């Protein structure tokens, strides 16, 4: 859940590491720190708070040097503080360590080290690694780090530097992501490619149980357990640094909302033909399994889970296949009953979410095939699925997921059509097939309604509490709308299936309570209108997203019209005004939507 970066080469390490921290800050912003080697000395500078605070400090101190490591922290063990910030050193400051993950056996290791006379200055699990390396070092940093890694239990991406081998970084990986950028006479390591791409597009992705030793001139990879050298495959980043930056928008989230028309096109490209034929060759190897599948279990977290709820509805209704949708952290512990001919479908933007990854492993342990919908290519989840299809949504930096969600919905629709074709399920797909090519243009039109949505956000910005209601696919959408609002604006937002309101939550509706609702499903439109009247009668102020505004004039206090498409596709459009609403409510309340408190982009711990 933290971001790590390391550099060794001819340039000023401090500058490159700082740039990397800014790019990785979405992974955690409780503290940031840097360790740079110069003249046989290790300079460690670290600060609680955002990278900007560290940057201020660096202006006051000398952090020159050509090799170093840096870290931006999302706290697990120990509160956010200067002392708990990484890098951590041993007793003598000869070694510095950064770490993303959790060392599960740290208490036991710490007790042993304390008995041997080591003193600790932080509450972190990471500090044990620095002391262990210090104890193990006998003239070869690789040997010392390898022996330490063999004693660690848990999840980790670690990088270590030492004054004894001043241009070398040794890195190990177990469970959390770590990439090694292979520049010409310089090497850079990072948790994700955005921190590499300015310097090199060529990289290795370390796998579980692997480690690397880098110097400006060389990079070597080894299996931790055996010490055997690995001939790693070089991979190429196929996007540019500009794509990972804000392109003039105030926030990544707003930029990513704006990219959605293009993302819809990118997700469809090469997969959807105008006659409705779907091409997903990445599933060729599992096509027979999918054709015969008896049940699909969709597993994901957060926004990806909400996409999964839409997927459940599409797959059940269009492919006549039973689908369960599970939150990954529940799935992995609830002992799910899965039998012969079940398939697990995991959905993840980052491809690194720990609970989703655990669900993949559980399913595979039970002999159940796992397919994935993932955004980040070569991520851990992608690597462990039997087959994976990628969103092609580009890097999503804002913590609040927007374009990845829309892309997930598009891809789930394609999967539903693909499965229906594979399983010879006949239904009239003509409306869906005719509407799919219009989605991108309609999404652009919706972005034009921003001024109106800012007015709604103005009305909501001082509210402490609101409800989101919907039915069927609209219920799935309002769950996501409520999550967006609460995570970045900090307004309490509760999503309810509209028919369920009167079973309890209605008691909380009073004069002026905002009720955000989506009404796009023809089969229950009248019932939805009745539910809205019930809350309106109790004083609720109705903000209504609908594809038939002419039928809702008298019901809504604020009407947000969206283009009319097949009700199966409407979530792809109806979420867009809700994303804008959350964004503007957050900004009006003075929050930074890209960095919501207590949250991180990639949840790589349980
Ligand atoms: O990377 P993933 O899709 O696996 O992430 C799952 C959730 O952590 C994520 O969707 C989270 O809920 C969103 N960032 C909220 O906007």
């Amino acid at each position: 859940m933290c971001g790590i970066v390391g550099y060794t080469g001819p340039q000023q390490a401090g500058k490159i590491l700082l740039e990397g921290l800014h790019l990785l800050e979405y992974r955690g912003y409780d503290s940031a720190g840097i360790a740079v080697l110069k003249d046989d000395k290790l300079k460690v500078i670290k600060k609680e708070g955002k990278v900007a605070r560290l940057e201020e400090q660096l202006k006051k101190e000398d952090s020159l040097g050509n090799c170093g490591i840096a870290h931006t922290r999302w706290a697990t063990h120990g509160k956010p503080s200067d002392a708990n910030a990484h890098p951590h050193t041993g007793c003598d400051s000869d070694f510095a360590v950064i770490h993303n993950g959790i060392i599960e056996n740290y208490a036991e290791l710490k007790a042993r080290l304390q008995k041997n006379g080591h003193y600790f200055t932080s509450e972190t699990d990471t500090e044990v690694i620095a002391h262990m390396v210090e104890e193990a070092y006998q003239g070869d940093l690789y040997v010392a780090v390898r022996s330490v890694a063999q004693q660690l239990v848990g999840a980790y991406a670690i990088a270590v530097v030492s004054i004894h081998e001043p241009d070398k970084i040794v890195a190990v990986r177990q469970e959390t992501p770590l990439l090694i950028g292979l520049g010409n006479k310089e090497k850079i390591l990072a948790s994700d490619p955005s921190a590499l791409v300015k310097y090199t597009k060529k990289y290795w992705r370390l796998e579980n149980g692997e480690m690397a030793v880098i110097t400006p001139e060389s990079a070597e990879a080894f299996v931790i357990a055996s010490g055997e050298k690995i001939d790693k495959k070089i991979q190429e980043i196929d996007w540019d640094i500009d794509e990972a930056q804000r392109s003039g928008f105030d926030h990544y989230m707003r930029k990513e909302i704006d990219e959605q028309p293009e993302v819809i096109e990118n997700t469809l490209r090469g997969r959807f033909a105008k006659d409705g034929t779907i091409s997903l060759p990445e599933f060729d190897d599992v096509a027979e399994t999918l054709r015969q599948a008896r049940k699909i279990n969709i597993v994901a977290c957060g926004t990806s889970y909400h996409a999964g709820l839409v997927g459940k509805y599409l797959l059940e209704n269009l492919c006549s296949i039973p689908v369960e949708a599970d939150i990954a952290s529940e799935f992995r512990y609830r002992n799910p009953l899965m039998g012969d001919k079940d398939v697990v479908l995991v959905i993840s933007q980052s491809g690194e979410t720990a609970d989703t990854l655990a669900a993949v492993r559980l399913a595979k342990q039970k002999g159940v095939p796992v397919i994935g919908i993932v955004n980040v290519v070569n991520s851990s989840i992608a690597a462990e699925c039997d087959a994976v299809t990628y969103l092609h949504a580009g890097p999503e930096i804002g913590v609040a997921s927007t374009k990845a969600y829309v892309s997930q919905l598009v891809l789930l629709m394609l999967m539903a059509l693909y499965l229906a074709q594979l399983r010879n399920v006949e239904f009239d797909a003509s409306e869906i097939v005719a509407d799919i090519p219009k989605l991108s243009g309609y999404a652009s039109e919706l972005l034009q309604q921003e001024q109106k949505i800012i007015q709604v956000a103005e009305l909501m910005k001082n509210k402490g509490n609101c409800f989101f209601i919907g039915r069927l696919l609209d219920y799935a959408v309002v769950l996501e709308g409520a999550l967006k609002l609460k995570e970045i604006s900090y307004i309490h937002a509760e999503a309810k299936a509209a028919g369920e309101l009167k079973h309890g939550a209605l008691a909380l509706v009073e004069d002026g309570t905002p009720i955000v609702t989506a009404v796009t499903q023809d089969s229950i439109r009248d019932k939805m209108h009745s539910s809205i009247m019930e809350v309106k009668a109790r004083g609720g102020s109705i903000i209504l997203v609908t594809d038939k505004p002419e039928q809702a004039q008298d019901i809504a206090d604020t009407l947000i019209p969206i283009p009319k498409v097949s009700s199966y596709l409407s979530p792809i459009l109806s979420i867009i005004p809700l994303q804008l609403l959350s964004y503007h409510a957050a900004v009006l309340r003075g929050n930074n939507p890209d960095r919501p408190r207590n949250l991180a982009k990639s949840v790589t711990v349980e």
Side-chain angles (χ1 to χ4, degrees), residues 301-304 348-350 353 399-401 483-484 487 603:
C301 299
T303 292
S304 296
S348 174
Q349 186 286 127
S350 62
T353 301
V399 169
S401 183
L483 172 64
K484 284 290 86 85
E487 72 173 321
V603 187

Side-chain angles (χ1 to χ4, degrees), residues 49-301:
K50 298 193 174 139
V51 174
R53 285 198 68 204
L54 174 71
E55 192 168 7
E56 280 310 305
Q57 190 62 28
L58 289 175
K59 285 181 193 153
K60 296 178 209 153
E61 296 196 41
D62 172 12
S63 62
L64 296 178
N66 303 104
C67 176
I69 52 178
H71 185 273
T72 178
R73 178 170 186 246
W74 188 81
T76 56
H77 291 67
K79 61 185 178 302
S81 68
D82 288 357
N84 288 336
H86 300 212
H88 289 286
T89 54
C91 299
D92 291 334
S93 298
D94 287 4
F95 303 89
V97 173
I98 50 173
H99 164 221
N100 169 26
I102 290 179
I103 305 302
E104 288 169 13
N105 60 337
Y106 89 99
E108 176 195 317
L109 295 168
K110 186 170 178 174
R112 193 188 77 202
L113 288 157
Q114 281 171 324
K115 224 161 133 199
N116 292 350
H118 290 263
Y119 61 89
F120 282 73
T121 54
S122 79
E123 305 155 308
T124 64
D125 51 344
T126 305
E127 194 183 339
V128 295
I129 303 168
H131 291 275
M132 287 170 80
V133 173
E134 185 176 67
E135 207 171 76
Y137 187 76
Q138 287 180 345
D140 188 331
L141 190 60
Y142 157 72
V143 172
V145 174
R146 184 173 156 234
S147 90
V148 169
Q150 287 172 311
Q151 300 169 59
L152 302 177
V153 177
Y156 46 83
I158 296 166
V160 186
V161 289
S162 164
I163 57 164
H164 303 297
E165 298 174 49
D167 66 350
K168 185 179 284 180
I169 307 178
V170 180
V172 294
R173 185 230 155 134
Q174 180 66 35
E175 303 295 342
T176 53
L178 188 53
L179 310 177
I180 308 290
L182 306 164
N184 181 23
K185 302 199 172 160
E186 61 184 354
K187 304 289 172 287
I188 178 161
L189 64 81
S191 306
D192 88 26
S194 60
L196 306 181
V197 68
K198 183 168 168 191
Y199 298 96
T200 177
K201 291 195 166 190
K202 292 196 180 351
Y203 72 97
W204 291 339
R205 178 180 188 280
L206 287 190
E207 303 297 337
N208 284 345
E210 293 181 354
M211 63 187 295
V213 179
I214 55 174
T215 65
E217 303 285 347
S218 67
E220 294 176 294
F222 303 90
V223 176
I224 299 172
S226 64
E228 185 195 335
K229 200 162 168 192
I230 311 166
D231 188 11
K232 292 287 294 179
K233 190 168 148 243
I234 296 180
Q235 316 210 11
E236 290 242 8
I237 299 168
D238 61 0
W239 44 267
D240 229 63
I241 187 71
D242 290 352
E243 281 183 73
Q245 290 177 342
R246 289 199 308 269
S247 318
F249 286 95
D250 289 343
H251 300 99
Y252 283 111
M253 182 185 175
R254 181 63 193 82
K255 170 184 171 256
E256 287 158 6
I257 291 173
D258 217 68
E259 286 171 353
Q260 292 181 122
E262 191 187 335
V263 165
I264 292 172
E265 305 239 354
N266 289 344
T267 308
L268 291 172
R269 187 163 298 119
R271 292 164 164 167
F272 173 79
K274 288 225 163 89
D275 65 356
T277 310
I278 306 299
S279 161
L280 289 171
E282 49 275 48
F283 287 147
D284 280 357
D285 288 349
V286 290
E288 192 49 29
T289 309
L290 294 173
R291 201 179 60 73
Q292 293 190 24
R294 194 185 53 87
K295 179 168 64 100
I296 295 183
N297 303 266
I298 297 180
V299 186
C301 299

Side-chain angles (χ1 to χ4, degrees), residues 300-306 347-354 356 373 381 396 398-402 404 408 480 483-484 487-488 599-603:
C301 299
T303 292
S304 296
Y305 169 70
H306 293 156
I347 306 175
S348 174
Q349 186 286 127
S350 62
E352 301 294 346
T353 301
T356 310
I373 292 183
I381 290 173
E396 190 178 66
V399 169
S401 183
T402 52
Q408 286 164 347
E480 174 58 9
L483 172 64
K484 284 290 86 85
E487 72 173 321
I488 57 172
L599 301 178
K601 180 67 180 163
S602 186
V603 187

